[in-house]
Each structure stands twice: as structure tokens, then as C-alpha cells.
Amino acid sequence: MQQPTFFEGPEKKIELVVAPGGGPKLRSLGDEVWSRVVELARAQILSVIRDAHCDAYLLSESSLFVYDDHLTMITCGRTRLVDAALHLVELVGARHVALLVYQRKNEHFPEQQPSTFYEDAERLHAVVPGRALRFGDEHDHHVHVFHGTRPYVAEPSDTTLEILMHGLRPEAAAQFIGIEPPNGSTIAERTGISKILPGFAIDEHAFTPAGYSMNALRDGTYYTIHVTPEELGSYVSFETNADVGGQVDAVVARALEVFRPTSFDVVTFAPMGTPEEEVRPEGFVVRDRVAASFGGYDVAFWHFSAPREGVRAPIELAL
Amino acid sequence: MQQPTFFEGPEKKIELVVAPGGGPKLRSLGDEVWSRVVELARAQILSVIRDAHCDAYLLSESSLFVYDDHLTMITCGRTRLVDAALHLVELVGARHVALLVYQRKNEHFPEQQPSTFYEDAERLHAVVPGRALRFGDEHDHHVHVFHGTRPYVAEPSDTTLEILMHGLRPEAAAQFIGIEPPNGSTIAERTGISKILPGFAIDEHAFTPAGYSMNALRDGTYYTIHVTPEELGSYVSFETNADVGGQVDAVVARALEVFRPTSFDVVTFAPMGTPEEEVRPEGFVVRDRVAASFGGYDVAFWHFSAPREGVRAPIELAL
């Protein structure tokens, strides 16, 4: 029998690019500014790793990657990422915002969120005029995306891959519940996570009693994984800005092997005109596919699920 | 471009059976009592049809069927059906409640609801001890069910069939937007609804600017249909207590023909030990199947969707 406690894994995310000549380099703002930004979202910085290009903050609820001229911030739980986004726009100055993308994955428990996507989009629209889109059905997996409509040209290698996985099989979820402290090897090595994209510096955190977060960094390229293993809403997100053009299918296959979800979504951002990726995960069927071009990117959404056989028992919620 | 207005089609439902000798016949309580019950749920009675066994009320948000010893009440939108349920338990006396089942379909916009299923179940559990179950995944179609745990034996013909349809194809939805007043024929006849189960007296209501509700009654047997045709969350529910044993598949096929959903769920209640129904809708695949026995019934949940081909554009929400 399940206790009706839960943790909301599905994330909110912002991407913000500062226009050339638009104020100070973001990394020069210093940790105090980033602590404040993270606090506004109702999260905290747990740790940071840095390289020549990127400061990668591991948060109590997900991650923040700061570059000199752009940043990616991802938060889960009941965080208020839109408050951080509005503060960032003010910090940078709305006229210097070259690109703003705000995304929300469909939540497991949307009634527990402090705001709806639409409310968030209206607040962002007031400072950075833009559009609000839904990729996928309202009664099925979907992502909502707000994007500013200022013209923007993405760099050729500026891609993003998100793999958003639901309903982990129990043996995969169990690896992230009551995690023992690493002994010689990292949790990423022990679970196979470090093989999804090899050769990265890894910053990881195990949560008590359950849960796992990690940032990986190599030459300004990141990947990040956040695991909510609890049965009442198990979920894992994988995201990378590595240029995996032509290899999306292979990276997806490696992530599926570690986390063994029963359904998942893939979201890709690629510079406009990039050849389309084929994603054909073995043992899954396509349930939806949505595509659009905006903000200099071709954006694609796929929703996959494994066919289910036989009859299950219901989940009982403890009263 | 869509306005972000919406109507929540997915319903809440109660079934309540009064133990033999447990106070006055429900139908004898009179319309004033039922008006009060309906008001507590934040709905209103629009009209009523009656036969020797049942008073069938059409509501501003769905339907109420009152028999001498049991009732079924279904409400959609942002109604507070649990308040009506608690009032009914008080009216009947908790010790006279032979069976209480409270069900909630996964909503399109759960953040707009006045309470969660779990909160409702806790309130009911305080007066009628029971269990709370979820049929289906938290990130996919599901129904939540609370049921009292007092032993109960269902009558042999006491079955319920629910067909809960999402994402109507536009030409099917269009029939229920800006409905012209009937001219000689009923809307049920014009749309093919009256052929799903023929030979019933029909009470129907067209909503402005869109939407449709109907109750059908024949010898104490009902069926009821509620249509939310708006693109941002289109939905139709069909429910009947007709004994359709062995014909569930055929009734489902007729409902699908009228409403042309892209995905739908079937929920059946049948007296424990009834032979299992086969449901194999043409052009759909089974995405989930969950079954349990409680309260004297075998309860089954199926989730179906039509495979989707090609690539769609996202939905734009007007800001």
C-alpha cells in the first residue's frame, strides 16, 4: 500500500541567451547572484563544478548551467522557476534578452503546483513578448513551451536533447532508493549512467530516503540526470547540450537501458534546417509526434510507450 | 489560436445503495431534497424525466438518477460532488449505507479543481470506512475509486458500463458546437446517439455556445451522455446501467462511431464472478488494463488509443 506522499519529478526549464554586448558576462556575476536566482525558484545550490566555459550548479531541485552569454536552469518539485526567470530578465535587461524559452513538462500532480504554465507564460509575455505552445495532448504526455519571438539564429552545434522517462521498472528504480555512499566508484559508474555519455567530470548527490541528481561536464558540454524513484510517480530526466546529431537514437537507447521506463518523451532543439533525427527505440511504439520551428530552432517532441500486456491490479493509496 | 478557456469534461461520480429497511425510500424524499443535494455539488437541476423505477435529473453539470434504494450522481466541471456525497451519507445515516463508491476520472486541468481525489477520499473514509484505488498510471489515463469496505452482494443484472472518450475528431465535435434547436427530430436522433441504445425516452439539453447533455430512460434503465466539444480538452462520457453482458464491445463500437475519439477508457462494474467481457475496438490498441474486485463487483478499466501517424503542429494558446 502506498503512502500518498510524492515528489514531483517532471521539470520546468528556462533557456536564456544574452545578446552580444548586452551587459556583463553571466559567469562574472558570481555565486551570490546565482544563489539569489536559485532561492527565488525556491531551491538551493548543493555543489558546483566548473570548467573553462561553464559553471554547473547542482541544486536541491535539479540544475543550473551558467555560460558567459547564456544559461539553462532546470527545476523540479514545487519550485517557482518563473520567479527566477523574471528576475533574470530584470538582471540582464529585457532589451538584451536574445532568446528566452520556458518549458514545463506535464506534471504528475499539477494541482500541487504554485502556478499553471499559462499563468507563468502570461507573466513572461509581459516582459518578453512571445508565444505559448503545447506539444502533445492535454490528456496525455505533453510539454508546454513559451518562447520569445525576437528573431534569433542558433549556432550550428547548439542542440539540446531531453529524454523524459516515466514509470521505471522496479529493479531500475531500486538502484536509486536508499543509496549507499559510493565506495571507490561513483553512483554514476555503478548504475551505468556514466556510460550514457563517457569521459565527463561528474558531480552527484544521493537524496535521503530516495532520489539522485547529477551534473556532468566536459569542455563546456553538460549532461544532467535527475531521478525520482518513488513508485507513486517515478520519473527520470536526462538532458544534454552535447552535439549528438545523428546519434540521438543511440543515446536514447543507452538511457533506456539504465532506467527501464514504461513510457518516455524525447524533446530535441536543433538549429533550424538540421536534418531530422530518427528515434526508433526498441520495444516502444510512437504515441505522438509534434514539431515546430521557432527562435532559430527546429523543435521536436516524441511520446513513446511500451505496449502493455495482461491485466494489472490497481494501486492502493493509504488512507 | 486557442483561447485558454476550457470546460472540464471528465467527471466525478457517486453510487450509493441504502441497506434494506434503512429509512425512507429515496424517491419519496422529493425534488426539494434533490435540489439541495445538487446545489451542494454546485450544480443545478435543468429537467427531470421519470418512470416507475427511476427519477432521472438532467443537471447543469451532468446527471442524477434516483431509485428507491440507490442512486447514481455524476458531475463534471469544477463541481464539489464530495460535498453532496457527505450530505447524502448524513441524510441516509452512515449505518444504512450498504455501498458507497466515489470515482474520479483523471481531469484535463486538475489544478482547477477545488480538491484532489485523495482529499475527497479522506473525507468519505471518515464517515464510511473504505479504500482508495487508482486504476491506471498517474502520468496517463486513470480513474481513482474510493469504495466502502462493508460486505455487499450485487444483484445479478446490476452492471455499469462507462465509455470515457477524449480528443474527438473535429467533424464529430462540430455536431455539438452551436447546436441548432431541434426541428422535428431530437439532437440524439440527428447525431446517431439514439441508436447506441434504442427505444429510450430522451431528455436532452444543448449548451450555449457549445456542449450537450442527455438522459435516456426505459423501465428503470438509463443511459446518459455528456459532450464537451471544445478543442482544448474535448471529451464525451457515456454511461449506462443497462445489462449489456456480452455486448459491451458492440455498445462501445456504436459510441465510437458517433464521437470518433482518438483515445478512450472503458470502466465496467459487474457482479462478482460475471464472465469477463472482451473489448476489442477496431483501430485502437490497448494501452492499459487494470482489474479488481470489491464491494460485490468485478471492476475493470481499459485504456485504448488510436495509433497516431505523421507529425503534428503544436497547439498555440493565446496570450
Side-chain angles (χ1 to χ4, degrees):
Chain A
M1 201 184 290
Q2 291 194 329
Q3 297 301 322
T5 57
F6 69 92
F7 185 80
E8 186 68 76
E11 287 104 346
K12 308 166 187 77
K13 175 184 161 185
I14 44 177
E15 292 263 355
L16 186 149
V17 180
V18 183
K25 290 178 174 177
L26 293 176
R27 289 213 299 168
S28 72
L29 294 175
D31 284 352
E32 210 166 298
V33 166
W34 298 113
S35 288
R36 175 74 186 133
V37 166
V38 168
E39 270 168 27
L40 280 168
R42 310 287 201 280
Q44 289 178 333
I45 294 174
L46 297 178
S47 57
V48 58
I49 53 175
R50 305 175 200 268
D51 70 11
H53 308 281
C54 178
D55 296 340
Y57 298 89
L58 198 65
L59 308 183
S60 54
E61 278 92 357
S62 306
S63 292
L64 167 63
F65 301 96
V66 182
Y67 295 80
D68 280 339
D69 68 344
H70 70 279
L71 66 82
T72 298
M73 186 170 172
I74 304 168
T75 66
C76 59
R78 295 178 185 171
T79 49
R80 298 169 189 253
L81 184 59
V82 68
D83 290 346
L86 289 164
H87 180 68
L88 283 165
V89 169
E90 205 179 294
L91 208 66
V92 166
R95 72 187 184 288
H96 298 307
V97 173
L99 177 76
L100 178 68
V101 176
Y102 176 78
Q103 177 184 318
R104 268 175 79 161
K105 168 77 170 113
N106 64 290
E107 286 111 6
H108 293 148
F109 308 97
E111 68 280 4
Q112 306 285 352
Q113 290 295 317
S115 63
T116 64
F117 166 78
Y118 190 76
E119 288 162 353
D120 295 350
E122 282 190 314
R123 292 176 70 194
L124 294 168
H125 183 57
V127 294
V128 176
R131 295 162 73 218
L133 305 174
R134 191 188 69 220
F135 291 68
D137 282 329
E138 76 290 342
H139 58 87
D140 209 330
H141 287 205
H142 59 265
V143 294
H144 275 112
V145 178
F146 170 86
H147 68 90
T149 36
R150 181 177 291 188
Y152 179 75
V153 179
E155 297 285 322
S157 67
D158 176 10
T159 64
T160 306
L161 166 64
E162 304 172 19
I163 311 171
L164 311 171
M165 296 168 267
H166 297 259
L168 312 191
R169 290 191 174 78
E171 64 280 13
Q175 302 180 87
F176 303 97
I177 297 172
I179 298 176
E180 294 292 322
N183 180 10
S185 67
T186 62
I187 299 160
E189 285 166 342
R190 203 162 61 197
T191 55
I193 283 174
S194 60
K195 288 185 192 155
I196 298 174
L197 288 177
F200 283 64
I202 284 176
D203 182 19
E204 61 180 5
H205 186 87
F207 293 87
T208 305
Y212 173 78
S213 282
M214 67 92 76
N215 285 340
L217 197 58
R218 185 182 67 186
D219 276 346
T221 297
Y222 70 81
Y223 74 96
T224 183
I225 290 173
H226 301 281
V227 183
T228 301
E230 290 90 343
E231 195 190 353
L232 190 63
S234 69
Y235 177 81
V236 177
S237 71
F238 169 95
E239 167 160 337
T240 186
N241 68 346
D243 185 3
V244 291
Q247 300 169 57
V248 167
D249 201 40
V251 176
V252 167
R254 294 201 288 274
L256 296 179
E257 205 177 320
V258 175
F259 296 110
R260 310 203 60 230
T262 49
S263 71
F264 70 99
D265 307 333
V266 170
V267 179
T268 58
F269 285 72
M272 245 177 225
T274 304
E276 217 169 82
E277 292 282 336
E278 279 298 329
V279 188
R280 299 177 180 277
E282 207 184 312
F284 288 86
V285 294
V286 180
R287 286 200 345 204
D288 202 0
R289 195 169 163 194
V290 185
S293 296
F294 58 78
Y297 297 93
D298 292 334
V299 180
F301 168 86
W302 287 262
H303 170 28
F304 298 98
S305 74
R308 198 166 237 146
E309 288 180 12
V311 184
R312 303 192 291 155
I315 298 288
E316 181 161 359
L317 310 173
L319 289 172
Chain B
M1 202 183 290
Q2 291 193 329
Q3 297 300 320
T5 57
F6 69 93
F7 185 79
E8 186 68 74
E11 286 104 346
K12 307 164 186 77
K13 174 184 162 185
I14 45 179
E15 291 263 355
L16 188 148
V17 180
V18 183
K25 291 179 174 175
L26 293 177
R27 289 212 299 167
S28 73
L29 294 175
D31 285 350
E32 209 167 300
V33 165
W34 298 113
S35 288
R36 175 74 187 136
V37 167
V38 168
E39 270 167 28
L40 279 168
R42 311 287 201 279
Q44 290 177 332
I45 294 173
L46 297 179
S47 56
V48 58
I49 53 175
R50 306 174 200 268
D51 70 13
H53 309 280
C54 178
D55 297 339
Y57 298 89
L58 198 65
L59 309 183
S60 54
E61 278 91 358
S62 306
S63 291
L64 166 64
F65 301 96
V66 183
Y67 295 79
D68 280 338
D69 68 344
H70 70 278
L71 66 84
T72 298
M73 184 170 173
I74 304 168
T75 67
C76 58
R78 294 178 185 170
T79 49
R80 298 168 189 255
L81 184 59
V82 69
D83 290 347
L86 288 164
H87 180 68
L88 282 166
V89 170
E90 204 179 296
L91 207 67
V92 167
R95 72 187 185 286
H96 298 306
V97 173
L99 176 76
L100 178 67
V101 177
Y102 176 78
Q103 177 183 318
R104 268 174 79 161
K105 169 77 170 112
N106 65 290
E107 287 112 5
H108 292 148
F109 308 97
E111 68 279 3
Q112 307 285 351
Q113 290 296 315
S115 63
T116 64
F117 166 78
Y118 190 76
E119 289 162 353
D120 295 351
E122 282 190 313
R123 292 177 69 193
L124 294 169
H125 183 57
V127 295
V128 176
R131 295 163 72 220
L133 305 174
R134 190 188 70 220
F135 291 67
D137 283 329
E138 76 289 343
H139 58 87
D140 209 329
H141 288 204
H142 59 264
V143 294
H144 275 112
V145 178
F146 170 87
H147 68 90
T149 37
R150 181 176 291 189
Y152 180 76
V153 177
E155 298 285 323
S157 66
D158 177 9
T159 64
T160 307
L161 166 64
E162 303 172 19
I163 312 171
L164 311 171
M165 296 167 267
H166 296 259
L168 312 191
R169 289 191 176 78
E171 64 279 15
Q175 300 179 89
F176 302 97
I177 297 172
I179 298 175
E180 295 290 323
N183 181 9
S185 67
T186 62
I187 299 159
E189 284 166 343
R190 201 163 63 195
T191 56
I193 282 174
S194 60
K195 288 185 193 155
I196 298 175
L197 289 177
F200 282 64
I202 284 177
D203 181 18
E204 60 182 2
H205 186 86
F207 294 86
T208 306
Y212 172 79
S213 282
M214 67 91 76
N215 285 340
L217 196 58
R218 184 183 66 188
D219 275 346
T221 297
Y222 70 81
Y223 73 97
T224 182
I225 290 173
H226 301 281
V227 184
T228 301
E230 291 90 341
E231 195 190 353
L232 190 63
S234 70
Y235 177 81
V236 177
S237 71
F238 169 95
E239 166 160 337
T240 186
N241 68 346
D243 185 2
V244 291
Q247 300 169 58
V248 167
D249 201 40
V251 175
V252 167
R254 294 201 289 273
L256 296 179
E257 204 177 322
V258 174
F259 297 110
R260 309 202 62 229
T262 50
S263 71
F264 70 100
D265 307 332
V266 171
V267 179
T268 58
F269 285 72
M272 246 178 227
T274 305
E276 215 168 82
E277 292 282 335
E278 280 298 329
V279 188
R280 299 175 180 278
E282 207 184 312
F284 288 85
V285 294
V286 180
R287 289 206 336 210
D288 203 359
R289 193 168 165 197
V290 186
S293 295
F294 58 78
Y297 296 94
D298 294 332
V299 181
F301 168 85
W302 288 262
H303 169 30
F304 298 97
S305 74
R308 197 166 238 147
E309 287 180 13
V311 184
R312 303 193 290 155
I315 297 288
E316 181 161 359
L317 310 173
L319 289 172

Short mmCIF file of all heavy atoms in Angstrom, two decimals, chain B residues 265-292:
data_model
loop_
_atom_site.label_atom_id
_atom_site.label_comp_id
_atom_site.label_asym_id
_atom_site.label_seq_id
_atom_site.Cartn_x
_atom_site.Cartn_y
_atom_site.Cartn_z
N ASP B 265 -11.34 5.41 -22.53
CA ASP B 265 -11.26 4.41 -21.48
C ASP B 265 -12.63 3.75 -21.33
O ASP B 265 -13.66 4.38 -21.58
CB ASP B 265 -10.89 5.06 -20.14
CG ASP B 265 -9.65 5.92 -20.24
OD1 ASP B 265 -8.80 5.63 -21.11
OD2 ASP B 265 -9.53 6.87 -19.46
N VAL B 266 -12.62 2.51 -20.93
CA VAL B 266 -13.85 1.79 -20.59
C VAL B 266 -13.74 1.35 -19.14
O VAL B 266 -12.70 0.83 -18.72
CB VAL B 266 -14.07 0.56 -21.51
CG1 VAL B 266 -15.22 -0.31 -21.01
CG2 VAL B 266 -14.31 1.02 -22.94
N VAL B 267 -14.79 1.60 -18.37
CA VAL B 267 -14.85 1.12 -16.99
C VAL B 267 -16.12 0.28 -16.86
O VAL B 267 -17.19 0.73 -17.27
CB VAL B 267 -14.89 2.29 -15.99
CG1 VAL B 267 -14.98 1.77 -14.55
CG2 VAL B 267 -13.68 3.20 -16.16
N THR B 268 -15.99 -0.93 -16.35
CA THR B 268 -17.17 -1.77 -16.14
C THR B 268 -17.25 -2.22 -14.69
O THR B 268 -16.24 -2.53 -14.05
CB THR B 268 -17.15 -3.02 -17.03
OG1 THR B 268 -15.97 -3.77 -16.77
CG2 THR B 268 -17.21 -2.67 -18.51
N PHE B 269 -18.45 -2.22 -14.16
CA PHE B 269 -18.78 -2.84 -12.87
C PHE B 269 -19.74 -3.98 -13.19
O PHE B 269 -20.76 -3.76 -13.86
CB PHE B 269 -19.50 -1.85 -11.94
CG PHE B 269 -18.61 -0.80 -11.33
CD1 PHE B 269 -18.09 0.24 -12.10
CD2 PHE B 269 -18.30 -0.84 -9.97
CE1 PHE B 269 -17.27 1.21 -11.53
CE2 PHE B 269 -17.48 0.14 -9.39
CZ PHE B 269 -16.97 1.16 -10.18
N ALA B 270 -19.42 -5.18 -12.72
CA ALA B 270 -20.32 -6.32 -12.91
C ALA B 270 -20.32 -7.13 -11.62
O ALA B 270 -19.31 -7.16 -10.91
CB ALA B 270 -19.86 -7.17 -14.08
N PRO B 271 -21.46 -7.79 -11.30
CA PRO B 271 -21.48 -8.58 -10.06
C PRO B 271 -20.34 -9.59 -10.07
O PRO B 271 -20.01 -10.16 -11.11
CB PRO B 271 -22.84 -9.29 -10.13
CG PRO B 271 -23.67 -8.42 -11.01
CD PRO B 271 -22.73 -7.83 -12.01
N MET B 272 -19.73 -9.78 -8.91
CA MET B 272 -18.56 -10.65 -8.81
C MET B 272 -18.81 -11.99 -9.45
O MET B 272 -19.87 -12.60 -9.23
CB MET B 272 -18.20 -10.86 -7.34
CG MET B 272 -16.87 -10.25 -6.97
SD MET B 272 -16.56 -10.48 -5.20
CE MET B 272 -16.03 -8.83 -4.77
N GLY B 273 -17.89 -12.44 -10.28
CA GLY B 273 -18.00 -13.74 -10.91
C GLY B 273 -18.63 -13.71 -12.29
O GLY B 273 -18.72 -14.74 -12.96
N THR B 274 -19.08 -12.53 -12.75
CA THR B 274 -19.62 -12.40 -14.11
C THR B 274 -18.50 -12.72 -15.12
O THR B 274 -17.37 -12.31 -14.92
CB THR B 274 -20.09 -10.94 -14.34
OG1 THR B 274 -21.02 -10.60 -13.32
CG2 THR B 274 -20.73 -10.76 -15.70
N PRO B 275 -18.82 -13.44 -16.20
CA PRO B 275 -17.77 -13.72 -17.19
C PRO B 275 -17.17 -12.42 -17.72
O PRO B 275 -17.90 -11.43 -17.92
CB PRO B 275 -18.51 -14.48 -18.30
CG PRO B 275 -19.74 -15.01 -17.66
CD PRO B 275 -20.10 -14.05 -16.55
N GLU B 276 -15.86 -12.45 -17.94
CA GLU B 276 -15.14 -11.24 -18.37
C GLU B 276 -15.58 -10.82 -19.79
O GLU B 276 -15.79 -11.67 -20.64
CB GLU B 276 -13.65 -11.60 -18.40
CG GLU B 276 -12.74 -10.48 -18.00
CD GLU B 276 -11.34 -11.03 -17.78
OE1 GLU B 276 -10.63 -11.18 -18.79
OE2 GLU B 276 -10.98 -11.33 -16.63
N GLU B 277 -15.67 -9.54 -20.01
CA GLU B 277 -16.01 -9.03 -21.33
C GLU B 277 -14.75 -8.91 -22.19
O GLU B 277 -13.68 -8.59 -21.68
CB GLU B 277 -16.64 -7.63 -21.22
CG GLU B 277 -18.00 -7.61 -20.56
CD GLU B 277 -19.12 -8.05 -21.51
OE1 GLU B 277 -18.96 -7.93 -22.73
OE2 GLU B 277 -20.16 -8.52 -20.98
N GLU B 278 -14.90 -9.15 -23.48
CA GLU B 278 -13.83 -8.83 -24.43
C GLU B 278 -14.14 -7.48 -25.06
O GLU B 278 -15.25 -7.28 -25.56
CB GLU B 278 -13.76 -9.90 -25.52
CG GLU B 278 -13.04 -11.17 -25.10
CD GLU B 278 -11.57 -10.94 -24.73
OE1 GLU B 278 -10.94 -10.03 -25.32
OE2 GLU B 278 -11.07 -11.65 -23.85
N VAL B 279 -13.20 -6.58 -25.02
CA VAL B 279 -13.39 -5.29 -25.67
C VAL B 279 -12.24 -5.12 -26.66
O VAL B 279 -11.08 -5.05 -26.27
CB VAL B 279 -13.41 -4.13 -24.66
CG1 VAL B 279 -13.80 -2.82 -25.33
CG2 VAL B 279 -14.36 -4.43 -23.49
N ARG B 280 -12.57 -5.13 -27.95
CA ARG B 280 -11.54 -5.06 -29.00
C ARG B 280 -11.94 -4.03 -30.05
O ARG B 280 -12.28 -4.38 -31.17
CB ARG B 280 -11.42 -6.42 -29.70
CG ARG B 280 -11.01 -7.58 -28.80
CD ARG B 280 -11.04 -8.88 -29.62
NE ARG B 280 -10.66 -10.03 -28.83
CZ ARG B 280 -9.40 -10.39 -28.58
NH1 ARG B 280 -8.41 -9.68 -29.08
NH2 ARG B 280 -9.13 -11.44 -27.84
N PRO B 281 -11.90 -2.77 -29.68
CA PRO B 281 -12.35 -1.75 -30.64
C PRO B 281 -11.43 -1.69 -31.86
O PRO B 281 -10.21 -1.63 -31.71
CB PRO B 281 -12.29 -0.46 -29.83
CG PRO B 281 -11.35 -0.75 -28.71
CD PRO B 281 -11.46 -2.20 -28.42
N GLU B 282 -12.04 -1.68 -33.03
CA GLU B 282 -11.26 -1.66 -34.26
C GLU B 282 -10.51 -0.34 -34.40
O GLU B 282 -11.08 0.74 -34.21
CB GLU B 282 -12.24 -1.83 -35.45
CG GLU B 282 -11.60 -2.46 -36.66
CD GLU B 282 -12.56 -2.52 -37.83
OE1 GLU B 282 -13.71 -2.97 -37.63
OE2 GLU B 282 -12.16 -2.09 -38.93
N GLY B 283 -9.24 -0.42 -34.73
CA GLY B 283 -8.46 0.80 -34.95
C GLY B 283 -7.85 1.35 -33.69
O GLY B 283 -7.27 2.43 -33.70
N PHE B 284 -7.98 0.63 -32.58
CA PHE B 284 -7.40 1.09 -31.32
C PHE B 284 -6.49 0.01 -30.74
O PHE B 284 -6.71 -1.18 -30.98
CB PHE B 284 -8.49 1.41 -30.30
CG PHE B 284 -9.25 2.66 -30.63
CD1 PHE B 284 -10.34 2.62 -31.50
CD2 PHE B 284 -8.89 3.89 -30.09
CE1 PHE B 284 -11.04 3.77 -31.82
CE2 PHE B 284 -9.59 5.05 -30.40
CZ PHE B 284 -10.67 4.98 -31.27
N VAL B 285 -5.50 0.43 -29.96
CA VAL B 285 -4.67 -0.53 -29.24
C VAL B 285 -4.89 -0.36 -27.74
O VAL B 285 -5.19 0.74 -27.27
CB VAL B 285 -3.16 -0.35 -29.56
CG1 VAL B 285 -2.87 -0.69 -31.01
CG2 VAL B 285 -2.68 1.06 -29.24
N VAL B 286 -4.78 -1.46 -27.01
CA VAL B 286 -4.89 -1.43 -25.55
C VAL B 286 -3.63 -0.80 -24.99
O VAL B 286 -2.53 -1.25 -25.28
CB VAL B 286 -5.00 -2.86 -24.96
CG1 VAL B 286 -5.13 -2.79 -23.43
CG2 VAL B 286 -6.18 -3.60 -25.56
N ARG B 287 -3.77 0.22 -24.21
CA ARG B 287 -2.60 0.82 -23.57
C ARG B 287 -2.49 0.43 -22.12
O ARG B 287 -1.41 0.47 -21.54
CB ARG B 287 -2.63 2.35 -23.72
CG ARG B 287 -2.36 2.72 -25.15
CD ARG B 287 -1.76 4.05 -25.39
NE ARG B 287 -1.98 5.05 -24.39
CZ ARG B 287 -2.05 6.35 -24.66
NH1 ARG B 287 -1.96 6.78 -25.91
NH2 ARG B 287 -2.21 7.22 -23.71
N ASP B 288 -3.61 0.07 -21.51
CA ASP B 288 -3.55 -0.37 -20.12
C ASP B 288 -4.82 -1.15 -19.81
O ASP B 288 -5.87 -0.92 -20.43
CB ASP B 288 -3.44 0.84 -19.17
CG ASP B 288 -2.83 0.45 -17.83
OD1 ASP B 288 -2.51 -0.75 -17.64
OD2 ASP B 288 -2.65 1.35 -16.99
N ARG B 289 -4.69 -2.05 -18.87
CA ARG B 289 -5.85 -2.84 -18.44
C ARG B 289 -5.62 -3.17 -16.97
O ARG B 289 -4.59 -3.73 -16.59
CB ARG B 289 -5.91 -4.11 -19.28
CG ARG B 289 -7.20 -4.82 -19.13
CD ARG B 289 -7.38 -5.89 -20.17
NE ARG B 289 -8.45 -6.75 -19.75
CZ ARG B 289 -8.69 -7.96 -20.23
NH1 ARG B 289 -7.92 -8.45 -21.16
NH2 ARG B 289 -9.69 -8.67 -19.77
N VAL B 290 -6.59 -2.78 -16.14
CA VAL B 290 -6.47 -2.94 -14.69
C VAL B 290 -7.78 -3.54 -14.20
O VAL B 290 -8.86 -3.16 -14.66
CB VAL B 290 -6.21 -1.58 -14.00
CG1 VAL B 290 -5.95 -1.76 -12.52
CG2 VAL B 290 -5.05 -0.84 -14.66
N ALA B 291 -7.71 -4.47 -13.26
CA ALA B 291 -8.93 -5.10 -12.75
C ALA B 291 -8.81 -5.35 -11.26
O ALA B 291 -7.72 -5.57 -10.72
CB ALA B 291 -9.20 -6.41 -13.49
N ALA B 292 -9.95 -5.30 -10.58
CA ALA B 292 -10.00 -5.59 -9.14
C ALA B 292 -11.43 -5.99 -8.79
O ALA B 292 -12.37 -5.72 -9.55
CB ALA B 292 -9.61 -4.35 -8.35
#
